[in-house]
Amino acid sequence: EVTLVESGGGSVQAGGSRRLSCTGYGVPFEESEMGWYRQVPGNECELVASISSDGSSWYADSVKDRFTISQPRGKNTVSMDINNLEPDDTAMYYCALDVVSLIHWQACQAAGRTYWGQGTQVTVSS
């Protein structure tokens, strides 16, 4: 059974930083794409960053140059440093894994081929 456990969320003032971490159990890390989605109630789920098994990363324009995703080779963890936070970054952040590739989901944690963590809330105050 695949389990993803996130940590690192919390409340922070605008301009601050957080590190989100995700530890996976029972996952084929070396064959998967992992990433972070976020969702605000009433809005669609947004893929903000991903990292492939070859180490290549991708970022949404809204977080480029502020967020950095990383995955130590051979480790079952993926982290994301989120810097220079803005109030619009307030959301529930979900770690996700897909053995093919991460795709668009209207709702995070939707049933399907993607594995999801339980989510960690990040709240940014102005």
Side-chain angles (χ1 to χ4, degrees):
E1 181 180 355
V2 173
T3 304
L4 302 174
V5 180
E6 301 108 329
S7 62
S11 297
V12 61
Q13 289 196 325
S17 301
R18 302 290 293 187
R19 166 167 276 206
L20 306 183
S21 294
C22 174
T23 300
Y25 303 92
V27 302
F29 272 81
E30 61 277 6
E31 301 169 359
S32 305
E33 183 173 27
M34 296 197 69
W36 292 88
Y37 291 78
R38 66 185 180 186
Q39 188 163 28
V40 176
N43 289 4
E44 286 193 353
C45 184
E46 178 189 16
L47 176 61
V48 295
S50 66
I51 187 163
S52 300
S53 56
D54 65 0
S56 58
S57 58
W58 172 91
Y59 298 93
D61 288 343
S62 58
V63 306
K64 201 171 292 184
D65 299 327
R66 299 189 299 121
F67 290 14
T68 303
I69 191 170
S70 59
Q71 182 179 22
R73 190 172 294 277
K75 299 293 185 182
N76 62 333
T77 61
V78 62
S79 299
M80 184 167 70
D81 291 312
I82 51 177
N83 302 307
N84 194 19
L85 283 161
E86 305 167 353
D88 284 348
D89 294 318
T90 296
M92 184 70 81
Y93 285 73
Y94 297 92
C95 176
L97 177 148
D98 198 302
V99 296
V100 180
S101 63
L102 294 174
I103 60 175
H104 170 75
W105 292 96
Q106 189 164 5
C108 292
Q109 294 189 310
R113 73 183 201 203
T114 298
Y115 296 99
W116 300 91
Q118 81 283 2
T120 186
Q121 177 70 34
V122 174
T123 301
V124 184
S125 58
S126 57

